[in-house]
Amino acid sequence: MKKYLILLAICASPSLRAQNQDIVSYFKDPGAHERDRNIDVTHMKLEVSFVPVEGLVNGTVTHTFRCLQDNVDTVYLDGPGIQVLSATLDGKGIQTRKTETGIVCLTGLKNSYNSTHNLQLVYNAHPKKGLYFIGWKLPAISDPATMSRRQIWTQGQGTDNRYWIPMVDDRSDKYITETIITFDKDYNVLSNGKLIANKEQPYNTRTWHYRMLNQHSGYLLMLAIDKYAVKKSTTKRGTPIQFWYYPEQPQNVEPTSRYTERIIEFLEDEIGVNYQWGSYSNVMVQDFMYGAMENTSATVFGDFFWVDARGYLERNYIGVNAHEATHQWFGDLVTARDDGNHWLQESFATFYPGLFNGSLYGPDETAWYFRGSMNGALAAGEKNSLPVRNSEAGSGRHYPKGASVLYMLYNTMGRENFRRGIKLYLERHAFQNVETWDLQKAMMDATGMNMDWFFDQWIHRGGEPHYKVQWQSVSAGTEFTVEQIHRMEPTVSHFRMPVNFGVYYEDGTEDHKTIWVDKAFQKVLIPAQGKKVAFALFDEGSFILKKITFEKSQQEWKAQLERAKYPLDRYDALLAMAKWPAEDKKEALMAAWKRESLKWMKAEIARQLVQNPAVEANVAAEIAGSPMTEVRRAFVDHASVNETTAPLFEKALSDSSYLIIETALLKLWDYYPFNNKRAAMLEKIKDLDGYIMNLKIRYLELGTEVFPDMKGAFISNLGDYTSDFYGFRVRNNAMAALQRLNACNEKVVMNLFSCLLSFNGRLSNTAKDVLNYFKQQSQYLQMMRTQLEKGNYQPEQKQVIKSALGI
């Protein structure tokens, strides 16, 4: 149900209904508030050790706090499932009471406003969230380079650190953290801030002591433990950079850590505020449930980004690295007061990587990046019209839409004005909590530009414009008719934006004008007399988040492809041609192929050319042999295998890209039904693991057809890859292969149950789907029932399995 907050501006009119332009509606947001609290924590000192095989945390936490009320009879700490062994206030014992969600500390403080106290709890916990023990229950791990590691790591966002630390786990309370970790001395330990001590202790242990110099929100506290190696470097301004990695694969360090120093340098230059946290670290962990997490001074990222030079072509860490580094300013230095203002973190962290792309590869790559963001925003808009500033807006708005809005603000205000506003915003609110109004006010104070109209339509209210555009030649020039045809709602009206208009004439000349479009229906004239128009553009350069309906003739689209100033306008011409008959566009595509140099333009041209079964052999060969991975991928993805292209697909089996190899293999597999040919293809890949074992798993899967005497062994090997000895992405690949083979056995069922019980939803959801596929067959369903009965599962685990199977 949609909920609106109606604000009425009462005018001097006798009839309110006649003044409905003065009625402004906003979504009501129940998540846009801070929770009540009676203390302000200023310092949290955490001393912890672990028993990894038991999943046990032994801790002592000391909270230094200031009273915010006269009487503080109790202090509530978040901590579901935590067992408090003892508690003291200012050195004296106090009582605690355990609740379902935390711990009530009976402090009994009277007349205590603004006084400072120390609350210490000794506790233990078996956390189900927040802190994760990886690989400790496994027997000997024979190959840590490809198999599971033994790790401990944390993930505090949204509010999960409370599962292993009794704490005020609320983003609006910031404090200095200090972490003291005692663990096996053969391991290496990372936490937030500066390492101020690293001492050897009895019983083959060491103690690592980290301390933050400035306050941050508790969800940003982290630690990571493994037998890491550390690459050290510095930025041009002297910021120490550390990259924590698996020492068994040193060849992966450079591709994975590429541009880390440059990202920090770029952000300092572009934002105008230096990095504030001393050193900056990146650390990889196994089975991470997201891409990465921007813990203050120490980003954790999933080791599926840990790639060699070939895996770098499939998925690299650069974009995520830039996203998380941006959070060190937006999210860590300034933190949203509440969930309703969460966009102030994620939108900025999605915006600046687009600018960084441009700094690396040129401004056209920035435009391409934000085209992707705008597409994501429009997809979210298909579901509902929630605004960006809303706790329930979802990732489609907090990430791509918010980033697109910032890109529009950047272009509307101009780069320097935008930068001045951002600099003031960060400096004014450093180490504090913020809300949208703080950003809005900083933009005004720094530049004198009142952007309230912009924030109102793009941030506080919802929807996106849909423009219907037409043009015609008139005696005075070119007349555009612009109609805003999106659905109007109480929270969505017509939009006001400066729009770039472009008119290209057949004589080779051009006119470019920026004109405000702010009405539901509007006509715009671009003056010019006696000139014949070749094509016309609305929002030239594609700077506005929008849908557009703009009908054009084939001749107009061809001219736009050939002559438009901005690559995105030429790309849009390509997309318009996608449904044309091959002969109608062949000549224009070939000319564009020779003319264009951007990889995404070349890839789209290649896609359309090779989809024509009659594509010339020399054209197919040029595309298949392109130095651009994206173009070669377009070939294997969209070309058909035939007598002309088969040799090109066979050559692709030696490509530098693992995914191109896999796609080429699968298409050739269907083209060549003969086992001797198939065996030769498998021979080419048998020694390649690929990206997240994609080629090794394909070899085993397809090998069951070619080598029948090895079928049992290959299926057994695939079953092994679904076990706890491997990371979740490898396990997902192996589960999918077994499903395609319809191969299941007792070992596979046991491993599928283990996947299903994982904390990582991207693993457990895949397992649930595969189990539901196999359970449709009675023999496999019986295996599942047997495993459920004889397996050593806790009652709550059995319930999860039964629920997933529907039994």
Side-chain angles (χ1 to χ4, degrees), residues 352-409:
Y352 277 102
L355 301 188
F356 180 69
N357 269 11
S359 77
L360 287 179
Y361 309 118
D364 292 331
E365 292 304 319
T366 292
W368 178 246
Y369 175 94
F370 285 108
R371 169 57 67 89
S373 293
M374 291 180 183
N375 287 341
L378 292 172
E382 293 294 325
K383 301 173 185 176
N384 56 55
S385 57
L386 283 168
V388 171
R389 184 181 178 265
N390 191 283
S391 60
E392 299 177 351
S395 60
R397 293 192 179 87
H398 288 154
Y399 290 75
K401 180 171 181 180
S404 301
V405 170
L406 290 172
Y407 182 57
M408 291 189 290
L409 184 63

Side-chain angles (χ1 to χ4, degrees), residues 29 31-35 170-172 335-345 389 391 433-435:
D29 184 6
H33 64 85
E34 301 172 59
R35 79 182 197 187
D170 183 76
R171 68 200 301 166
S172 64
T335 308
R337 270 190 187 278
D338 52 55
D339 292 346
N341 288 285
H342 188 59
W343 81 276
L344 291 170
Q345 301 180 186
R389 184 181 178 265
S391 60
N433 292 97
V434 290
E435 56 187 358

Side-chain angles (χ1 to χ4, degrees), residues 8 26 83 136 182 234 318 365 395 472 587 589 605 679:
L8 302 180
Y26 300 88
Q83 181 67 41
W136 295 98
T182 300
T234 58
I318 295 171
E365 292 304 319
S395 60
Q472 64 176 344
E587 185 178 341
L589 289 176
I605 297 166

Side-chain angles (χ1 to χ4, degrees), residues 84 87 167 268 281 325 463 494 607 676 768:
V84 176
M167 63 186 293
E268 289 181 322
S281 299
H494 59 266
R607 181 183 73 85
N676 58 342
K768 181 178 180 180

Side-chain angles (χ1 to χ4, degrees), residues 232-527:
K232 297 182 179 181
S233 59
T234 58
T235 67
K236 66 184 181 183
R237 290 187 178 88
T239 297
I241 302 293
Q242 296 185 359
F243 197 86
W244 294 53
Y245 66 93
Y246 303 157
E248 295 83 2
Q249 297 164 301
Q251 72 277 10
N252 291 14
V253 174
E254 192 285 323
T256 307
S257 66
R258 191 173 297 171
Y259 300 129
T260 298
E261 298 81 5
R262 188 166 171 179
I263 288 168
I264 297 296
E265 293 164 355
F266 167 81
L267 290 169
E268 289 181 322
D269 291 342
E270 184 65 30
I271 294 169
V273 175
N274 287 345
Y275 179 78
Q276 297 292 305
W277 304 109
S279 64
Y280 181 55
S281 299
N282 277 271
V283 58
M284 62 189 67
V285 300
Q286 180 182 318
D287 288 341
F288 198 59
M289 61 283 281
Y290 310 111
M293 176 62 203
E294 67 274 11
N295 308 294
T296 316
S297 81
T299 286
V300 169
F301 70 93
D303 62 6
F304 38 83
F305 288 114
W306 178 235
V307 293
D308 60 16
R310 296 178 73 175
Y312 176 89
L313 301 174
E314 319 303 349
R315 185 175 191 181
N316 63 63
Y317 183 49
I318 295 171
V320 173
N321 195 349
H323 179 99
E324 306 306 333
T326 304
H327 271 307
Q328 299 299 314
W329 284 262
F330 302 92
D332 298 3
L333 182 61
V334 296
T335 308
R337 270 190 187 278
D338 52 55
D339 292 346
N341 288 285
H342 188 59
W343 81 276
L344 291 170
Q345 301 180 186
E346 297 302 346
S347 297
F348 276 97
T350 310
F351 166 72
Y352 277 102
L355 301 188
F356 180 69
N357 269 11
S359 77
L360 287 179
Y361 309 118
D364 292 331
E365 292 304 319
T366 292
W368 178 246
Y369 175 94
F370 285 108
R371 169 57 67 89
S373 293
M374 291 180 183
N375 287 341
L378 292 172
E382 293 294 325
K383 301 173 185 176
N384 56 55
S385 57
L386 283 168
V388 171
R389 184 181 178 265
N390 191 283
S391 60
E392 299 177 351
S395 60
R397 293 192 179 87
H398 288 154
Y399 290 75
K401 180 171 181 180
S404 301
V405 170
L406 290 172
Y407 182 57
M408 291 189 290
L409 184 63
Y410 175 90
N411 286 299
T412 301
M413 295 185 72
R415 177 175 181 264
E416 289 307 315
N417 284 320
F418 181 87
R419 291 177 71 237
R420 291 175 186 129
I422 295 301
K423 186 173 188 293
L424 178 61
Y425 166 66
L426 290 175
E427 290 177 342
R428 180 182 280 176
H429 302 287
F431 310 112
Q432 299 176 16
N433 292 97
V434 290
E435 56 187 358
T436 303
W437 308 109
D438 296 321
L439 173 63
Q440 217 166 313
K441 188 70 167 67
M443 290 298 186
M444 177 68 186
D445 291 347
T447 67
M449 299 175 69
N450 190 326
M451 301 304 294
D452 288 355
W453 63 271
F454 183 94
F455 279 85
D456 185 71
Q457 68 182 7
W458 289 113
I459 298 297
H460 300 296
R461 304 177 73 196
E464 298 81 32
H466 184 173
Y467 298 103
K468 182 179 180 181
V469 182
Q470 296 174 304
W471 69 269
Q472 64 176 344
S473 292
V474 296
S475 58
T478 305
E479 183 182 74
F480 287 82
T481 301
V482 182
E483 185 179 0
Q484 299 195 38
I485 62 172
H486 52 275
R487 186 175 65 181
M488 302 296 176
E489 299 179 9
T491 62
V492 182
S493 185
H494 59 266
F495 285 75
R496 174 192 180 198
M497 285 296 289
V499 177
N500 296 333
F501 289 83
V503 181
Y504 291 70
Y505 303 103
E506 291 187 359
D507 64 4
T509 60
E510 308 162 10
D511 278 323
H512 306 275
K513 302 285 184 183
T514 301
I515 298 172
W516 284 90
V517 173
D518 56 4
K519 299 178 179 62
F521 182 87
Q522 189 169 343
K523 291 193 174 184
V524 172
L525 179 68
I526 306 298

Side-chain angles (χ1 to χ4, degrees), residues 122-265:
V122 179
Y123 69 95
N124 61 43
H126 291 87
K128 295 181 179 180
K129 294 181 179 181
L131 185 141
Y132 302 92
F133 297 93
I134 306 297
W136 295 98
K137 294 183 179 181
L138 294 172
I141 297 170
S142 59
D143 183 11
T146 60
M147 301 175 74
S148 178
R149 306 187 66 83
R150 302 195 200 277
Q151 295 179 338
I152 303 173
W153 51 263
T154 62
Q155 168 57 24
Q157 194 182 42
T159 53
D160 285 355
N161 275 339
R162 64 182 65 187
Y163 288 89
W164 67 284
I165 312 169
M167 63 186 293
V168 176
D169 194 9
D170 183 76
R171 68 200 301 166
S172 64
D173 194 2
K174 289 196 167 195
Y175 37 84
I176 289 173
T177 61
E178 193 172 352
T179 49
I180 302 170
I181 308 103
T182 300
F183 199 69
D184 186 329
K185 70 178 184 180
D186 293 333
Y187 283 74
N188 211 348
V189 176
L190 176 65
S191 190
N192 312 81
K194 183 178 181 179
L195 178 63
I196 59 177
N198 184 358
K199 296 180 180 179
E200 192 162 340
Q201 305 287 358
Y203 309 110
N204 201 40
T205 64
R206 296 187 72 84
T207 296
W208 291 260
H209 187 173
Y210 286 88
R211 192 178 194 278
M212 289 291 294
L213 301 179
N214 289 293
Q215 63 182 14
H216 66 150
S217 296
Y219 77 89
L220 295 166
L221 183 142
M222 64 77 65
L223 63 83
I225 302 175
D226 193 348
K227 293 181 178 179
Y228 291 112
V230 183
K231 170 196 168 187
K232 297 182 179 181
S233 59
T234 58
T235 67
K236 66 184 181 183
R237 290 187 178 88
T239 297
I241 302 293
Q242 296 185 359
F243 197 86
W244 294 53
Y245 66 93
Y246 303 157
E248 295 83 2
Q249 297 164 301
Q251 72 277 10
N252 291 14
V253 174
E254 192 285 323
T256 307
S257 66
R258 191 173 297 171
Y259 300 129
T260 298
E261 298 81 5
R262 188 166 171 179
I263 288 168
I264 297 296
E265 293 164 355

